[in-house]
Amino acid sequence: MPLRHDWSRGEIQSLLELPLMELLWRAQAVHRQANPGYRVQLASLLSVKTGGCEEDCAYCPQSMHHSSDVSGRPELAVEPVLARARAARDAGAHRFCMGWAWREIRDGAPFEAMLAMVRGVRALGLEACVTAGMLSDSQAARLAEAGLTAYNHNLDTSPEHYDRIITTRTYQERLETLQRVRRAGVTLCCGGIIGMGEGTGDRAGLLQVLSSLDPHPESVPINALVAVEGTPLEDQPAVDPLELVRMVATARILMPQARVRLSAGREQLSREAQILCLLAGADSIFYGDTLLTTGNPAVEADRELLAAAGVQAWP
Ligand code: SAM
Ligand code: DTB
Ligand code: SF4
């Protein structure tokens, strides 16, 4: 089937609302063709610069606008980061993702350190991903030159719901950042979060924008909100795991070749719910005991999960 970039919001909403059995069947058919071995990529995550961020993303414990601001942790230097990357590789990870709680990248010593980290991670034989907010064309080019595999920058939600979640930067600015990354020849990691009070129409809206990108993002993280105390979203009810299954399945159908990453929120999911997400077409998980500032299932638990599901770690 040819890849489509013209899915309408109505079509996407109809997929999201299909009877679950039908939705899973369709997603599996697409997934089986795109990834016949059901291989799952293990990506490890490390927060290099934690907290004190100028943006006001309502979900994020790293925003200085919230009482949950987790600043105070020292920014990590190149060597300790590469030691963590080596340990992640030795534990079986294939991708190493590094986060900076920045509104945007600025030139200077921390950016030079970021470039050294990217080169070091690549030299270990790992894919390297960075998430650090907005960037300029020349910064994107320098990251590409350092060997960066992917840049993560999420759209998070629909254009309509976005203003209720973030006021300090616009949806349009996010789209422009994505274009800069693409123009530099770095692959895109771009997805969103469910459980932030959005409706099904908003979820369809997010997936509509993602699937209209041409080419599709190579990587699409689907996060379930981790409601952190001190953030404006601390009292959001937990999302129904089946909603996450629906989101993953629909992303898989719309973007057959993308790596659909079952991201934040796995600690709140049963083993069976996670396996349903794999069945729905998720082909990557974050691997390691922490995400950026919150928890993630233990490495041993994830090894058991993959064994129970009968899927292989990538490659
Ligand atoms: N500051 C950079 C940025 O926002 O682009 C990079 C780091 S930021 C923490 C990366 C992504 O993590 C966000 O775009 C958001 O989708 C996700 N995220 C942050 N806090 C989360 C939470 N509490 N629950 C689920 N996802 C979250
Ligand atoms: C993404 O979409 N999810 C990851 C990664 N990209 C950087 C981050 C999840 C963060 C969850 C909250 C935290 O641990 O601070
Ligand atoms: Fe800052 Fe990123 Fe958190 Fe938003 S999501 S507050 S930009 S660290």
Side-chain angles (χ1 to χ4, degrees), residues 138-150:
S138 70
Q139 289 161 344
R142 290 196 67 201
L143 282 164
E145 198 182 278
L148 185 69
T149 312

Side-chain angles (χ1 to χ4, degrees), residues 53 59-62 100-102 131-133 152-154 156 169 174 193 223-226 228 264 292:
C53 184
Y59 47 76
C60 186
Q62 304 199 64
W100 280 257
W102 287 342
T131 182
N152 166 250
H153 196 65
N154 290 338
D156 283 340
R169 89 180 131 197
R174 294 231 181 205
I193 309 178
N223 297 276
L225 176 73
V226 180
V228 180
L292 292 173

Side-chain angles (χ1 to χ4, degrees), residues 258-278:
R259 212 171 267 290
V260 177
R261 298 181 192 274
L262 181 57
S263 302
R266 274 199 308 122
E267 257 196 330
Q268 282 71 45
L269 295 182
S270 69
R271 185 177 72 140
E272 293 76 10
Q274 295 183 69
I275 290 180
L276 266 183
C277 289
L278 296 174

Side-chain angles (χ1 to χ4, degrees), residues 49-236:
K49 195 273 173 180
T50 307
C53 184
E54 295 153 354
E55 304 277 7
D56 68 353
C57 311
Y59 47 76
C60 186
Q62 304 199 64
S63 165
M64 59 187 237
H65 301 266
H66 312 328
S67 62
S68 53
D69 181 7
V70 286
S71 51
R73 300 191 199 172
E75 187 163 342
L76 300 179
V78 178
E79 265 319 308
V81 169
L82 294 183
R84 294 284 292 267
R86 205 172 296 116
R89 182 195 63 182
D90 294 346
H94 296 104
R95 184 160 166 129
F96 194 69
C97 311
M98 296 166 279
W100 280 257
W102 287 342
R103 172 175 160 75
E104 77 241 316
I105 299 180
R106 296 191 188 128
D107 288 331
F111 180 50
E112 300 304 320
M114 178 190 289
L115 294 169
M117 290 170 198
V118 170
R119 284 190 290 267
V121 168
R122 297 295 283 137
L124 289 168
L126 291 162
E127 292 185 0
C129 181
V130 162
T131 182
M134 298 184 280
L135 41 54
S136 67
D137 284 316
S138 70
Q139 289 161 344
R142 290 196 67 201
L143 282 164
E145 198 182 278
L148 185 69
T149 312
Y151 195 82
N152 166 250
H153 196 65
N154 290 338
L155 286 168
D156 283 340
T157 189
S158 67
E160 295 76 17
H161 193 60
Y162 184 88
D163 295 349
R164 271 172 261 157
I165 303 296
I166 299 146
T167 69
T168 48
R169 89 180 131 197
T170 64
Y171 212 76
Q172 188 54 36
E173 285 174 310
R174 294 231 181 205
L175 290 167
E176 285 163 16
T177 299
L178 298 176
Q179 273 176 7
R180 286 207 180 90
V181 173
R182 266 264 172 266
R183 276 202 300 269
V186 173
T187 71
L188 267 192
C189 175
C190 183
I193 309 178
I194 67 167
M196 302 195 295
E198 74 287 344
T200 312
D202 292 306
R203 293 179 191 166
L206 166 66
L207 290 172
Q208 195 274 325
V209 180
L210 290 171
S211 60
S212 72
L213 297 175
D214 189 2
H216 291 150
E218 285 75 10
S219 164
V220 179
I222 305 288
N223 297 276
L225 176 73
V226 180
V228 180
E229 217 180 305
T231 63
L233 297 180
E234 64 182 356
D235 292 327
Q236 278 297 317

Side-chain angles (χ1 to χ4, degrees), residues 10-31:
E11 281 179 293
I12 297 171
Q13 186 156 348
S14 306
L15 286 172
L16 281 169
E17 290 172 343
L18 276 176
L20 187 61
M21 294 299 131
E22 179 65 26
L23 176 59
L24 276 173
W25 176 249
R26 290 203 203 174
Q28 283 178 72
V30 171
H31 190 208

